């Protein structure tokens, strides 16, 4: 009897269905416990975070970096006429409206955890067209157990129609929950600590700037209680800039607080750095700290985050609006893809100039580097065939001939070599200290003014004079 292969038994024979699901749920729970426990479930309670200048500043950086990106709609197959046609159609729909504003409004879903955009359809020439996308208040929506979108703005739960809303969630750690977990959740405590710290900081500054009246009385006096009340009244009068008198023996003095602001300032700086780390992934593009190299590296961290935001928005658009417009209007085509260009456009002219400068020093890029920088396929140019040297009378002379020109060229190369090697050493050092090719080009431009040309000019001048004199000597010898 043969034993069935376990791998064969595990092979699916039909489409899978979900099995690891909870069957006793009555509603989908919010991932954000801060939202439910401290803000009463009101998602718009996170708006108060934007009153903090650091939060609003770094979030503006992240949004500006996204909305300035150039968008493109690419066909599924550029060689398929139907795919190209639907890509051009979708691109034309985006041109009909202020799509940058729509993207910016939908981008707030990264901050709050979810975004809801109501799609306004139109009909033109028998085709469904995109009239507008109205980004709605996310706090008035929720999801049922079937992940259908529910509107709660009218006091009752209303199930929204299909293919009417462009939605996405951000920050969730599973695919089971459609609510997401936005940046606001992680900003809540740093902002709260910072605001509380500033409150105490202001109170401390007020106490340090003003004096507190302080009085002493004799508790052994038979009229101690009356003396105490009279002294308190006198101290209050002093605080209110009024004149007063006290019994004999009572002492009044002014206590001045100490101005200690270091701990408050450090805590605020720490919270600002925490806020920048949450939103931008680093602190150097939000504060003027660090060197140029570190700033470039951390700016790349921010760029990676912006690219992730762009991919999230585009992917959600491609799964909804792009698919719907294609299936309704071009049923035989495949949906196009909307993407935001996050790669920096290279300045090919500056790059070519840099390579030309390097070539003059005896270096050249590899073929792989050229193809990476300029695209396409490259191959070496064929070398021109060498022409035979013209016959010379010396060729017919017997015995060895003078090789004065060869000797002079050898000496010229020998005298130039140390200076050329010094140049190459300096350039190699700059290349080793450069993080990017662009940075090396800038360093090379700055170094050009420091490389000595006077020495080269002097050597060539002496060599030219020597060659001239040698030529005159040869001519005079031949005619003698």
């Amino acid at each position: 009897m043969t034993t069935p292969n376990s791998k064969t038994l595990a092979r699916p024979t039909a489409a899978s269905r979900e099995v690891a699901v909870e069957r006793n749920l009555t509603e989908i729970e919010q991932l954000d416990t801060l939202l439910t426990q401290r803000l009463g479930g009101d998602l718009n309670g996170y708006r108060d975070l934007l009153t903090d200048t650091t939060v609003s500043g770094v979030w503006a950086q992240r949004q500006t970096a996204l909305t300035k990106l150039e968008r493109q709609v690419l066909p599924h197959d550029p060689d398929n006429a139907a795919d190209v046609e639907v890509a051009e159609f979708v691109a034309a729909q985006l041109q009909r409206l202020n799509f940058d504003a729509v993207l910016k409004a939908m981008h707030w879903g990264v901050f709050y955890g979810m975004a809801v955009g109501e799609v306004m359809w139109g009909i033109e020439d028998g085709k469904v067209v995109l009239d507008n996308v109205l980004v709605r208040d996310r706090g008035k929506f929720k999801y049922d157990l079937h992940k259908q979108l529910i509107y709660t703005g009218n006091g009752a739960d209303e199930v929204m129609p299909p293919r009417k809303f462009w939605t996405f969630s951000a920050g969730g750690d599973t695919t089971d929950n459609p609510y997401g977990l936005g940046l606001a959740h992680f900003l809540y405590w740093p902002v709260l600590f910072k605001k509380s710290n500033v409150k105490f900081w202001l109170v401390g500054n007020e106490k340090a700037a003003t004096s507190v009246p302080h009085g002493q009385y004799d508790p052994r006096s038979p009229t101690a209680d009356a003396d105490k009340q009279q002294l308190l009244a006198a101290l209050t009068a002093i605080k209110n800039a009024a004149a007063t008198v006290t019994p004999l023996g009572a002492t009044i003095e002014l206590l001045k607080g100490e101005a200690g602001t270091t701990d408050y300032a450090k805590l605020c700086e720490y919270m600002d750095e925490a806020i920048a780390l949450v939103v931008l992934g680093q602190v150097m593009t939000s504060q003027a700290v660090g060197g140029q190299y570190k700033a470039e590296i951390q700016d790349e961290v921010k760029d990676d985050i912006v690219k992730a935001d762009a991919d999230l928005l585009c992917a959600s658009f491609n799964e909804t609006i792009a698919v719907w417009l294609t299936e309704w209007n071009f049923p035989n085509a495949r949906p196009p893809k909307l993407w935001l260009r996050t790669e920096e456009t290279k300045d090919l002219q500056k790059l070519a100039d840099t390579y030309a400068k390097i070539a003059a020093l005896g270096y050249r890029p590899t073929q792989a580097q050229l193809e990476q920088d300029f695209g396409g396929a490259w191959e070496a140019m064929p070398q021109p065939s060498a022409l035979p040297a013209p016959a010379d009378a010396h060729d017919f002379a017997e015995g060895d001939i003078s090789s004065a020109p060869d000797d002079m060229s050898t000496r010229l190369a020998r005298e130039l070599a140390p200076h050329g090697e010094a140049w190459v050493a300096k350039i190699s050092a700059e290349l080793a200290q450069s993080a990017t090719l662009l940075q090396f080009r800038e360093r090379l431009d700055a170094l050009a003014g420091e490389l000595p040309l006077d020495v080269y000019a002097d050597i060539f001048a002496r060599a030219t004079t020597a060659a001239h004199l040698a030529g005159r000597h040869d001519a005079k010898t031949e005619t003698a």
Side-chain angles (χ1 to χ4, degrees):
M1 180 178 179
T2 60
T3 303
N5 191 322
S6 59
K7 294 182 179 179
T8 303
L9 290 175
R11 184 179 184 273
T13 57
S16 299
R17 62 182 181 87
E18 295 184 44
V19 294
V21 294
E22 296 182 64
R23 295 179 175 81
N24 298 321
L25 290 176
T26 56
E27 64 178 5
I28 299 178
E29 296 181 354
Q30 271 277 2
L31 289 174
D32 194 342
T33 55
L34 284 177
L35 178 65
T36 57
Q37 297 176 7
R38 299 187 67 89
L39 299 178
D42 182 10
L43 198 59
N44 292 322
Y46 282 134
R47 282 180 178 162
D48 289 341
L49 299 176
L50 296 168
T51 59
D52 182 87
T53 55
T54 304
V55 172
S56 58
V58 294
W59 175 247
Q61 282 190 39
R62 187 160 168 170
Q63 280 210 308
T64 302
L66 178 82
T67 54
K68 74 176 185 180
L69 297 177
E70 178 186 354
R71 64 175 180 268
Q72 54 184 350
V73 180
L74 302 178
H76 184 277
D77 182 0
D79 297 325
N80 184 291
D83 291 353
V84 172
E85 184 180 8
V86 69
E88 293 175 350
F89 177 81
V90 172
Q93 300 308 301
L94 301 184
Q95 294 293 333
R96 293 163 56 97
L97 46 97
N98 186 359
F99 196 67
D100 287 340
V102 173
L103 279 178
K104 184 175 182 179
M106 289 294 291
H107 189 216
W108 281 97
V110 175
F111 185 85
Y112 290 104
M114 60 179 289
V116 180
E118 182 174 356
V119 184
M120 307 304 295
W121 303 114
I123 305 295
E124 291 183 4
D125 299 327
K127 285 186 170 61
V128 179
V129 296
L130 181 63
D131 279 345
N132 206 350
V133 178
L134 306 176
V135 181
R136 301 301 191 184
D137 182 355
R138 64 210 60 81
K140 296 180 180 180
F141 291 87
K142 68 177 184 179
Y143 291 92
D144 64 10
L145 289 178
H146 303 290
K147 297 183 181 179
Q148 295 183 104
L149 190 64
I150 307 295
Y151 182 66
T152 62
N154 295 319
D157 292 351
E158 303 176 44
V159 179
M160 294 293 98
R163 297 199 168 193
K164 186 69 170 72
F165 289 86
W166 169 20
T167 65
F168 76 88
S169 61
D173 56 359
T174 69
T175 58
D176 298 331
N177 196 301
Y179 287 109
L181 199 63
L183 297 177
H185 169 84
F186 304 98
L187 293 171
Y188 181 83
W189 291 115
V191 173
L192 180 63
F193 292 155
K194 180 182 175 182
K195 287 185 175 181
S196 300
N197 176 66
V198 171
K199 176 182 177 182
F200 290 120
W201 191 355
L202 293 175
V203 172
N205 287 339
E206 180 183 2
K207 290 183 177 180
T210 58
S211 300
V212 179
H214 171 71
Q216 296 180 353
Y217 68 95
D218 186 2
R220 296 169 297 180
S221 171
T223 58
D225 291 338
D227 293 344
K228 179 179 179 181
Q229 295 301 321
Q230 187 176 2
L231 184 58
L232 285 174
L235 295 175
T236 303
I238 293 175
K239 187 67 176 177
N240 296 329
T244 183
V245 293
T246 59
L248 183 63
T251 303
I252 294 179
E253 58 184 347
L254 297 177
L255 300 181
K256 188 174 180 61
E258 295 184 1
T261 61
T262 303
D263 293 337
Y264 294 113
K266 284 185 177 179
L267 182 57
C268 281
E269 290 175 2
Y270 181 80
M271 293 302 135
D272 282 340
E273 290 180 0
I275 291 168
L277 285 172
V278 169
V279 179
L280 300 177
Q282 42 80 29
V283 299
M284 287 189 177
T285 56
S286 62
Q287 302 174 10
V289 297
Q292 178 183 358
Y293 173 71
K294 291 183 178 179
E296 289 177 355
I297 295 299
Q298 296 207 32
D299 194 45
E300 292 178 3
V301 175
K302 186 194 75 173
D303 292 342
D304 291 341
I305 292 177
V306 172
K307 184 180 185 302
D309 288 353
D311 290 346
L312 176 64
L313 282 166
C314 291
S316 63
F317 177 90
N318 295 333
E319 293 171 355
T320 53
I321 296 178
V323 172
W324 302 337
L325 286 173
T326 302
E327 293 179 352
W328 288 333
N329 299 313
F330 303 88
N332 296 323
R334 286 165 293 186
K337 300 292 185 182
L338 166 68
W339 297 114
L340 299 178
R341 295 178 60 92
T342 55
E343 298 83 6
E344 183 179 355
T345 303
K346 295 180 180 178
D347 190 334
L348 299 183
Q349 182 59 51
K350 290 184 178 180
L351 195 58
D353 293 342
T354 300
Y355 283 150
K357 293 178 181 179
I358 296 175
L361 301 171
Y363 292 89
R364 65 181 181 184
T366 63
Q367 181 176 340
Q369 185 66 45
L370 286 173
E371 293 176 357
Q372 177 182 339
D373 292 336
F374 297 96
W378 291 68
E379 62 180 11
M381 294 179 60
Q383 295 294 330
S385 57
L387 297 177
D392 188 82
H394 291 289
D395 294 340
F396 302 98
E398 296 181 359
D400 295 336
I401 62 174
S402 174
S403 58
D406 294 337
D407 293 340
M408 295 179 68
S409 63
T410 301
R411 179 177 177 180
L412 177 63
R414 186 171 62 250
E415 293 190 12
L416 288 174
H419 305 286
E421 291 173 357
W423 276 31
V424 172
K426 289 184 178 180
I427 293 170
S428 299
E430 294 294 336
L431 180 60
Q433 296 176 7
S434 301
T436 64
L437 186 60
L438 177 61
Q439 189 179 18
F440 175 60
R441 181 180 65 81
E442 295 174 351
R443 289 176 175 267
L444 198 60
D445 290 338
L447 184 63
E450 301 177 8
L451 297 178
L453 295 177
D454 295 341
V455 177
Y456 274 77
D458 180 62
I459 294 175
F460 275 108
R462 288 189 285 110
T464 302
T465 302
H468 178 69
L469 293 175
R472 293 183 61 182
H473 177 268
D474 290 343
K476 184 176 180 180
T477 302
E478 291 175 0
T479 58

Short mmCIF file of all heavy atoms in Angstrom, two decimals, residues 3-13:
data_model
loop_
_atom_site.label_atom_id
_atom_site.label_comp_id
_atom_site.label_asym_id
_atom_site.label_seq_id
_atom_site.Cartn_x
_atom_site.Cartn_y
_atom_site.Cartn_z
N THR A 3 1.83 5.17 0.50
CA THR A 3 1.45 6.28 1.40
C THR A 3 1.31 7.56 0.58
O THR A 3 2.22 7.90 -0.18
CB THR A 3 2.52 6.48 2.48
OG1 THR A 3 2.67 5.26 3.19
CG2 THR A 3 2.12 7.61 3.44
N PRO A 4 0.19 8.25 0.69
CA PRO A 4 0.02 9.48 -0.11
C PRO A 4 1.09 10.51 0.24
O PRO A 4 1.49 10.64 1.39
CB PRO A 4 -1.38 9.97 0.30
CG PRO A 4 -2.06 8.77 0.86
CD PRO A 4 -0.99 7.95 1.49
N ASN A 5 1.53 11.17 -0.76
CA ASN A 5 2.51 12.24 -0.57
C ASN A 5 1.86 13.41 0.17
O ASN A 5 0.81 13.91 -0.25
CB ASN A 5 3.03 12.71 -1.93
CG ASN A 5 4.23 13.62 -1.79
OD1 ASN A 5 4.28 14.43 -0.89
ND2 ASN A 5 5.20 13.46 -2.69
N SER A 6 2.49 13.82 1.28
CA SER A 6 1.91 14.90 2.08
C SER A 6 1.84 16.21 1.30
O SER A 6 0.94 17.02 1.50
CB SER A 6 2.71 15.10 3.37
OG SER A 6 4.06 15.42 3.05
N LYS A 7 2.80 16.42 0.40
CA LYS A 7 2.77 17.63 -0.41
C LYS A 7 1.58 17.62 -1.35
O LYS A 7 0.96 18.66 -1.62
CB LYS A 7 4.08 17.76 -1.19
CG LYS A 7 5.31 17.97 -0.32
CD LYS A 7 6.56 18.15 -1.17
CE LYS A 7 7.77 18.40 -0.28
NZ LYS A 7 9.01 18.55 -1.08
N THR A 8 1.24 16.46 -1.87
CA THR A 8 0.08 16.35 -2.76
C THR A 8 -1.21 16.60 -2.00
O THR A 8 -2.14 17.26 -2.49
CB THR A 8 0.05 14.97 -3.42
OG1 THR A 8 1.28 14.76 -4.10
CG2 THR A 8 -1.12 14.85 -4.39
N LEU A 9 -1.29 16.10 -0.77
CA LEU A 9 -2.49 16.31 0.05
C LEU A 9 -2.70 17.78 0.37
O LEU A 9 -3.84 18.23 0.51
CB LEU A 9 -2.39 15.50 1.34
CG LEU A 9 -2.47 13.98 1.20
CD1 LEU A 9 -2.23 13.32 2.54
CD2 LEU A 9 -3.83 13.57 0.63
N ALA A 10 -1.61 18.55 0.52
CA ALA A 10 -1.73 19.96 0.89
C ALA A 10 -2.05 20.85 -0.30
O ALA A 10 -2.31 22.04 -0.12
CB ALA A 10 -0.44 20.43 1.56
N ARG A 11 -2.07 20.30 -1.51
CA ARG A 11 -2.31 21.12 -2.70
C ARG A 11 -3.77 21.53 -2.76
O ARG A 11 -4.67 20.70 -2.70
CB ARG A 11 -1.94 20.32 -3.95
CG ARG A 11 -2.06 21.11 -5.24
CD ARG A 11 -1.64 20.25 -6.42
NE ARG A 11 -1.66 21.02 -7.65
CZ ARG A 11 -2.73 21.18 -8.43
NH1 ARG A 11 -3.88 20.62 -8.07
NH2 ARG A 11 -2.66 21.90 -9.53
N PRO A 12 -4.06 22.85 -2.88
CA PRO A 12 -5.46 23.29 -2.96
C PRO A 12 -6.12 22.77 -4.23
O PRO A 12 -5.51 22.69 -5.30
CB PRO A 12 -5.35 24.82 -2.99
CG PRO A 12 -3.99 25.12 -2.47
CD PRO A 12 -3.13 23.98 -2.87
N THR A 13 -7.39 22.40 -4.12
CA THR A 13 -8.17 21.96 -5.27
C THR A 13 -9.27 22.96 -5.62
O THR A 13 -9.98 22.78 -6.60
CB THR A 13 -8.81 20.60 -4.97
OG1 THR A 13 -9.61 20.70 -3.78
CG2 THR A 13 -7.72 19.54 -4.76
#
